[in-house]
Amino acid sequence: MGAKRQNIQLRLAFEGDEAGEARGSASGGIEAPRATAVTEDPASTAALMEEVCDRENLKRALQRVKSNKGSAGVDGMTIDQLPAHLKEHWPTIRDQLLRGTYQPQPVRRVESPKPDGGTRALGIPTVLDRFIQQAVLQVLHRYWDPTFSDHSFGFRPGRSAHQAVARAQSYIAAGHRWVVDLDLEKFFDRVNHDQLMGKVAERVADQRLRRLLRAYLNAGVMANGLVSPTDEGTPQGGPLSPLLSNLVLDGLDRELERRGHRFVRYADDCNIYVRSQRAGQRVMESVTRFITLRLKLTVNSAKSAVARPAARKFLGFSFTVGSAPKRRIAPKALTRLKARVRMQTRRTRGVRLEQMVRDLATYLTGWRGYFGYCQTPSVLTALDSWIQRRLRCAVWKQWKRGRRRFAGLRARGVGRDLAAQTAGSLHGPWHLSLSPALSIALPTAYFRSLGLPPLAVRPNA
């Protein structure tokens, strides 16, 4: 019933469109296979706005925005309210887009904590602007993605962070055992609008789409009820931001290719692999000059370095030393995991074990889906054991007193003498979490029955 209702909403929202008005619009959105033809003929991009407003393209865009969910923008409109709004106002919005007069609303500024500390400023567009940006994104991806570098992996269909990590690993295994780790300082906040629009103009002949992209860049940011203009940067939070960042950094990719470097880039994370520290220092200096002078961006010297790959992290992973490097989880990623688990299993949390496990399972399933790509299973096995000890500690604390602890152990199959000895022990919960009694009462199989996922088993195993 829900799927049928959604299809009706989609049909109603765009019933004013003419079918087949955009050439090639029936091909997929950003999930479609990458095109094999590489062309930048300006004539082929003279009517992109018609492709953006094509009915099928809009349906895919609405589906994607609804599936991504997200909070409301400055106008307060929610995702659930968007289909009805489009049903009523789409003919007017479509006319504005096709005439090149549409004006987006400012983005809503929110602060998001960074994994390594500090905060990241995000700009949340209205759901209507997210929908339009998604429709534009799907069209531009079809034209631009085939022209991007093979060394670029971020926010591209058919490419992933795991592929980027595997490429880096192959360079290290081939003998390039020094890495030039470049960190671009506040990249998304520092993008030069004129340079970016110059690159857009090289690829897009449709003046209406150019104006729309410029309008999104200059839409402004609302914080504390006040709108501030934006004269640089591409606010993180909108669908178009990753694509525009790839367009900006495509110049870096081409320069590194021209120099013959072995490198991997994922969004603004760029690692170049060389054979010696001396070569790495030379590359660091010359590439920093190029980024500063040509791209008008800033390299964060405090976070950038020339080092052994084992001493750096790339997309949450690092590598072991030796002639056959293995992927391992970066220490900071492990620290973040343990901090999250500690928070959800704290002994004073006051929730039942079943709820605690459900909360953990949601987080651990996603974590395992990404970091299960490591090649150090012993680390995952040790984490499994540590998490179960945390849960046993929480249960022991909830049982509180000796009599209840004795009853709890007996109810879970522990012998009378062992249960009495453990219940009366003066040792603390962490020590007792490895005791025979708690291992019998709360074994691994019990936690699995509650839904706790094992980290040491890869998701597709």
Side-chain angles (χ1 to χ4, degrees), residues 108-404:
R108 180 171 63 87
R109 182 181 293 279
V110 297
E111 298 291 334
S112 174
K114 290 183 178 181
D116 298 332
T119 59
R120 175 187 291 111
L122 299 180
I124 307 301
T126 65
V127 293
L128 173 61
D129 283 323
R130 293 210 295 273
F131 161 69
I132 295 173
Q133 284 192 36
Q134 180 64 36
V136 172
L137 173 70
Q138 291 169 176
V139 171
L140 293 184
H141 252 306
R142 196 158 59 240
Y143 286 90
W144 292 3
D145 191 74
T147 72
F148 287 154
S149 169
D150 183 56
H151 298 268
S152 167
F153 291 86
F155 308 112
R156 298 182 61 189
R159 291 179 167 244
S160 69
H162 286 172
Q163 292 174 343
V165 172
R167 178 73 65 85
Q169 184 180 12
S170 70
Y171 290 147
I172 300 168
H176 299 81
R177 297 198 173 97
W178 287 88
V179 61
V180 180
D181 186 356
L182 292 166
D183 182 274
L184 299 181
E185 185 173 356
K186 296 183 178 180
F187 167 70
F188 287 93
D189 298 332
R190 300 282 175 83
V191 171
N192 183 285
H193 286 180
D194 291 334
Q195 279 206 333
L196 172 55
M197 290 308 302
K199 292 180 179 295
V200 170
E202 293 174 0
R203 295 167 177 262
V204 174
D206 192 325
Q207 294 283 355
R208 300 163 300 175
L209 187 53
R210 289 192 205 174
R211 285 197 293 270
L212 180 62
L213 293 176
R214 172 70 83 168
Y216 274 122
L217 292 175
N218 296 337
V221 175
M222 177 176 285
N224 300 320
L226 299 176
V227 177
S228 302
T230 49
D231 52 11
E232 65 177 0
T234 58
Q236 290 177 266
L240 277 173
S241 183
L243 177 65
L244 295 178
S245 70
N246 274 335
L247 180 61
V248 170
L249 293 176
D250 187 60
L252 174 62
D253 297 339
R254 297 309 176 188
E255 177 65 15
L256 296 180
E257 287 177 346
R258 187 186 67 79
R259 300 183 185 189
H261 288 310
R262 292 162 177 82
F263 70 98
V264 185
R265 185 178 65 78
Y266 190 98
D268 56 336
D269 286 332
C270 183
N271 280 5
I272 307 169
Y273 294 88
V274 296
R275 291 188 179 274
S276 69
Q277 184 178 20
R278 188 174 180 181
Q281 295 292 354
R282 289 198 304 268
V283 170
M284 174 68 81
E285 292 173 6
S286 62
V287 173
T288 296
R289 281 197 303 272
F290 175 83
I291 292 173
T292 302
L293 299 177
R294 295 285 297 277
L295 301 184
K296 307 301 181 184
L297 297 170
T298 303
V299 174
N300 188 330
S301 57
K303 294 185 178 180
S304 301
V306 177
R308 294 288 191 181
R312 306 295 292 179
K313 66 179 180 69
F314 181 55
L315 302 177
F317 290 91
S318 186
F319 303 95
T320 61
V321 298
S323 58
K326 293 183 178 180
R327 300 182 296 271
R328 66 184 181 93
I329 304 170
K332 286 187 178 180
L334 291 175
T335 299
R336 289 196 297 270
L337 166 72
K338 290 189 173 184
R340 181 68 174 265
V341 172
R342 285 191 181 98
M343 180 184 69
Q344 294 190 337
T345 60
R346 62 188 185 276
R347 300 168 199 173
T348 58
R349 190 176 170 202
V351 300
R352 294 174 57 84
L353 176 65
E354 292 80 4
Q355 181 62 48
M356 196 176 288
V357 170
R358 280 197 295 271
D359 294 343
L360 267 180
T362 300
Y363 173 70
L364 293 178
T365 299
W367 190 92
R368 182 187 66 179
Y370 185 76
F371 287 104
Y373 190 60
C374 75
Q375 296 173 310
T376 52
S378 61
V379 174
L380 300 180
T381 301
L383 286 173
D384 276 330
S385 176
W386 177 77
I387 292 169
Q388 291 176 41
R389 288 187 69 183
R390 293 281 309 177
L391 291 171
R392 291 185 187 122
C393 288
V395 172
W396 195 247
K397 184 70 173 180
Q398 289 176 358
W399 284 349
K400 294 183 179 179
R401 304 185 187 281
R403 183 174 297 179
R404 186 178 177 188

